[in-house]
Structures are given as C-alpha cells and as structure tokens.
Amino acid sequence: MNRREFLHRSARFMAASTIAPGLVSGAPPSGKPNIVLIVSDDHGYADIGLQGCTDVPTPNIDSIGRNGVRFGNGYVSCPVCSPTRAGLATGRYQQRFGHEFNPGPPSAENHDFGLSLHEVTLAERLKKAGYATGMFGKWHLGFLPQFHPMKRGFDEFFGFLGGMHSYLDPQGDREGAVLRGTQAVNEKDFYTTDAFTREAVSFIERHKSQPFFLYLPYNGVHLPLEAPERYLARFPKIGDEKRRTFAAMLSALDDGVGRVLATLRKNGLEENTLLFFISDNGGPPANTSRNHPFGGFKGQVLEGGIHVPFLMQWRGRLPAGKVYDAPVISLDIHPTALAAATGVLPPDAKFDGVDLLPFLTGKKKGLPHDRLFWRFGEQSAVRMGDWKLLRMGDEPPELYNLPKDPGEKNDLATQLPEKVKELQAGYDLWNAQLMKPRFGRGRPIVPKSAREGQAGGAAP
Ligand code: CA
C-alpha cells in the first residue's frame, strides 16, 4: 500500500467511526459506503434457496439474505426488463417519463428508444458525489450514443446494450456485440456471466481505496438457454434439458455473486458496502424459472410477474437474517443508496422510492409505502396494505387479499365493492400523473379463464 492509499484508507476508517450530526434519519456515518447493485434477469421468486428452490443450490445469493435482509414482499415496477431498469436507474415510476414498455429491436421504428435524458440516474448522482462508477452487464436503456451507459453516469462499461444476448459468443447478436466502452470484445471461451463477474471483481480491486458504485446486471437467467459444460456437469440428475440448462446458468450466476462477495470480504470492505440483489421481473415459462407460490409470470402484473427475489446486505449496519415483510419496490434502491452515500436526498429528485434504511434499522416506524402501483399497457394493479386490485384489459376488476391468497385465485371484487372503489380511486390519482408511452407496446392480455396452469410458475 502506498502512502496515498494508506491516508485514504485511514480517512475512511476514521470517517466510518463517527456519526456526523444533522444527517437524515437513518443516515450512515459520514464515510461513504460502497454501493453494489446486482441484478438478475427473468429470475423468479422461488428460484433462490431462501425462497424454496431445491434443485439449484444458490448459497451465495442466499448468504446476502442470511447476512442481511430478505424482502418477503419485494416488487419491481414492471413485469418486463427495460421499464424496470428505467425505474431502478431513476427511483421514479418509469411511466412518469413514458418508459412503459420494452422497445422493439433496433431495426424497428422506435430505434430512438432510451432512458429519458431529462431524468437523473443513480450513477450520475453517485459520480457527482465522488464515486467511481462501473457497470458490467445488460443495459437495455438505449442503443444510440446519447443513451450509452458512459453518457449516463458510468466511468466504465463492459456489456451489451440490448435486451438479450448470446452467452457464448461476444459478437453473436443482432442487437450488437459485447462492448468494452464502445469497442466490440473478441474473446475465446466466453461466457457472459463469468466475463461480467471477472470485470466486476477487477473493478473492485482497482477502486477499493475510494468509494465505488458497482452495477452488475447479469443477463443470467434470461433466454437464450446457454451454459458451458463445466456448469451443466453440476446437474446430472435434472432430466428436463431446459431446466438443466437453466440450473447451470443460475449456478454460474450464484458463483459470480460469491466471487464479488469474496472480493469485498478479502479487502475488508463488507462493513463499508451496501449491497442489493434483485431480479428485474418474475420468471417466464420459457426459461423454466419458478414463481411459487404466485400465479402468472413475466409480462403480467399478477404477483408472478412483479414479486421477485430482493435482498440487501450491509454488515454491521443492517440486522443479519432479517425478513422484512412490508411491501417495498425496486424504486427504493436509488434513494436508499443515495442516502447511504451522501446523507441527504435532493429535494427536487421527485423520487417515488424511499430510503429503506431507517425502516430496516427500526429508526422509522410505519410502512415505507402505503400503496404501490403498476401500469403496463392494458394491465394495471394497485396494492394497498394487504389488498390488490388488478385489471386485465376489459375484464372486470379483480380484488385479492394477498397474505391470505398469494396465488390470486379467490377474487373478492363482487363481495367487496367498497374496497374495489377505494383502491380504484387511489390508482386513478396516480394514473392521472403519468405520460403516454413513448415507445413499444404491451403484451397480449391473458384472460382470467386461461390462467389455469400458470399458478406456481411450474415449468411449461
Ligand atoms: Ca428481465
């Protein structure tokens, strides 16, 4: 360690030892914690060991919940990829700025799709606060140069710009090659998950003596189903070839999480790092990911599409092994990270998410949210307390008591018209604040009569 590094580390240690006065409730010591945000893709609620997965061990992902907090009611703001990432980046409901849908492919008419340049990203705010910022993985927030991750707050980028990519061929995709910055990568024996992990570990090693923001959105376990033999060989007993490949992909992802955690540990950074793990939406039938006990899947505002694995760890700051059951949402990650990093939230940020830390440490009582909303084309939903009102196109509204009926099978709308009215009024107030979608389109509605067989998200 050179003198500069030593002084830097000492300053961080001293800062972390004292609580500065005047910070917002639940704010951290004045030392700036590192922020790590790991995102899995199309990874259903029941596909981590902590939430019932038995055929694919996920010890490293599970360790985040064991050493920190597992959210029993953790949601994303959309049941598909790009809109959730727009909400994640901004801390705001993405429909407020027209980012309601996935784009089509770059060749389609919405080629100019991208995260609104009027919005401020978490990476931009953390960079301004003195953080080194690195992103390794799937972007899906714009193809044109002005939307590139390095134009949206990241110092470094290694990954791809589209919504899906070959795992094995860095140049094998119509939506563009895997890039380092803006240069196409040409590597042999490539596997995206391992490459993103390698880059993330390198980023930590290179920036361990300064505050850093690591954004690690794996494309695992999104389609295509591709895994090298070294991971497939771990699952000789899974007979379904699709599920076996999925298991290999998830296992690689879990290894990656483990390597990131080990790198933090090795460098003594665990107690100065706030880490999140979340999936961007529920599991789709196509990759065999499971959403048990929820019905529905990716692309639907049924619980199976939006209720996801969501974990958070900050050794020494958050209780270990806590299960937190109040409803929370992906939009909370930006303000939570920013409050941890800077101690303040900009008053003009207009976040829909909230700082979760004071709720998790017990400094703040009550609920982070008394209501959460979803709008995805013709589908909409609102959750208020235990109740969820759901609309699928022109079908009559459906009302569910989620703690009693997580599978959304027992529709109480006709029995409780007043409750329907109350939730609908809450939804209408929110909906009136939103923009029309700027690009893309929704998914076809699955009528209620055709939902049988989706419950539990079993393999197709
Ligand atoms: Ca996804």
Side-chain angles (χ1 to χ4, degrees):
M1 190 185 310
N2 64 31
R3 181 179 153 75
R4 186 160 163 255
E5 278 177 353
F6 175 76
L7 289 173
H8 215 111
R9 280 202 185 180
S10 302
R12 289 183 87 187
F13 176 76
M14 292 301 289
S17 309
T18 52
I19 305 281
L23 297 175
V24 294
S25 170
S30 56
K32 291 175 177 173
N34 308 306
I35 308 292
V36 176
L37 171 53
I38 305 174
V39 179
S40 56
D41 197 348
D42 290 12
H43 181 195
Y45 180 86
D47 271 328
I48 61 173
L50 281 183
Q51 288 169 180
C53 185
T54 53
D55 59 346
V56 191
T58 58
N60 296 300
I61 297 170
D62 294 344
S63 80
I64 301 170
R66 292 215 169 89
N67 293 323
V69 178
R70 178 174 76 85
F71 295 105
N73 283 282
Y75 288 97
V76 283
S77 58
C78 185
V80 299
C81 310
S82 178
T84 287
R85 286 152 204 270
L88 196 57
T90 59
R92 283 156 50 72
Y93 281 114
Q94 63 278 355
Q95 303 94 334
R96 292 193 187 281
F97 46 93
H99 205 127
E100 187 158 338
F101 300 127
N102 274 339
S107 54
E109 71 273 18
N110 52 38
H111 180 57
D112 62 345
F113 124 87
L115 179 63
S116 167
L117 299 176
H118 299 294
E119 298 295 317
V120 186
T121 68
L122 175 60
E124 286 165 343
R125 290 203 167 100
L126 290 177
K127 186 177 167 76
K128 201 172 163 190
Y131 279 63
T133 54
M135 173 188 160
F136 311 101
K138 161 172 158 176
W139 180 234
H140 213 193
L141 290 175
F143 298 103
L144 293 179
Q146 64 268 34
F147 300 120
H148 189 278
M150 290 170 71
K151 294 282 175 63
R152 303 312 309 268
F154 290 102
D155 301 326
E156 296 182 26
F157 168 62
F158 180 100
F160 62 93
L161 299 176
M164 64 188 287
H165 203 282
S166 162
Y167 285 77
L168 298 165
D169 180 356
Q171 302 199 352
D173 229 286
R174 63 180 182 174
E175 291 186 350
V178 170
L179 306 172
R180 182 183 298 282
T182 56
Q183 298 301 309
V185 164
N186 187 11
E187 290 181 20
K188 298 277 181 260
D189 301 320
F190 187 80
Y191 193 57
T192 52
T193 305
D194 294 346
F196 299 154
T197 300
R198 176 195 72 206
E199 298 296 321
V201 166
S202 158
F203 176 79
I204 296 171
E205 293 286 1
R206 285 183 283 115
H207 296 285
K208 60 193 173 193
S209 58
Q210 68 181 105
F212 61 80
F213 170 41
L214 166 61
Y215 178 41
L216 182 53
Y218 286 108
N219 59 324
V221 288
H222 195 291
L223 293 179
L225 290 168
E226 292 178 345
E229 188 53 38
R230 62 182 178 278
Y231 294 118
L232 288 165
R234 294 178 181 178
F235 300 97
K237 289 183 182 163
I238 299 181
D240 173 9
E241 206 47 43
K242 275 190 175 177
R243 181 69 183 177
R244 181 169 175 241
T245 310
F246 171 89
M249 291 158 66
L250 179 54
S251 197
L253 198 160
D254 188 70
D255 274 18
V257 171
R259 285 187 60 202
V260 168
L261 292 169
T263 306
L264 295 172
R265 198 170 303 132
K266 184 187 89 180
N267 288 295
L269 296 173
E270 274 185 314
E271 295 194 349
N272 198 31
T273 300
L274 169 59
L275 183 144
F276 303 87
F277 180 93
I278 191 167
S279 172
D280 72 335
N281 50 253
N287 74 355
T288 78
S289 193
R290 295 166 179 165
N291 305 310
H292 183 81
F294 309 126
F297 44 75
K298 175 182 181 179
Q300 301 178 330
V301 298
L302 290 159
E303 292 293 290
I306 53 177
H307 196 147
V308 295
F310 189 175
L311 310 166
M312 187 168 155
Q313 171 187 311
W314 190 353
R315 298 295 288 265
R317 290 279 305 176
L318 286 174
K322 184 184 178 78
V323 179
Y324 187 77
D325 279 328
V328 299
I329 190 162
S330 48
L331 308 176
D332 297 328
I333 289 175
H334 181 148
T336 302
L338 191 64
T342 66
V344 289
L345 293 178
D348 60 346
K350 297 182 182 168
F351 289 124
D352 290 303
V354 301
D355 176 11
L356 294 175
L357 283 169
F359 293 98
L360 301 176
T361 56
K363 282 189 182 160
K364 238 185 210 179
K365 302 295 174 203
L367 300 171
H369 300 276
D370 64 356
R371 54 195 67 191
L372 292 173
F373 305 100
W374 295 266
R375 190 181 83 180
F376 184 53
E378 294 176 277
Q379 301 181 49
S380 65
V382 48
R383 177 167 183 173
M384 290 169 64
D386 290 346
W387 296 94
K388 179 172 170 187
L389 185 73
L390 181 73
R391 276 186 182 271
M392 295 287 233
D394 296 332
E395 297 212 343
E398 301 165 39
L399 180 72
Y400 297 101
N401 183 304
L402 290 177
K404 288 185 185 159
D405 180 20
E408 295 166 284
K409 288 176 178 161
N410 184 21
D411 178 7
L412 300 171
T414 50
Q415 283 166 256
L416 298 168
E418 288 305 313
K419 189 52 86 177
V420 170
K421 258 189 209 167
E422 182 193 341
L423 268 74
Q424 186 66 51
Y427 178 83
D428 290 344
L429 277 176
W430 174 74
N431 188 45
Q433 303 166 20
L434 307 181
M435 275 177 68
K436 281 185 182 167
R438 287 193 297 117
F439 48 76
R441 59 188 160 74
R443 296 272 177 102
I445 301 287
V446 177
K448 202 173 171 188
S449 56
R451 278 191 227 150
E452 279 306 307
Q454 296 182 21

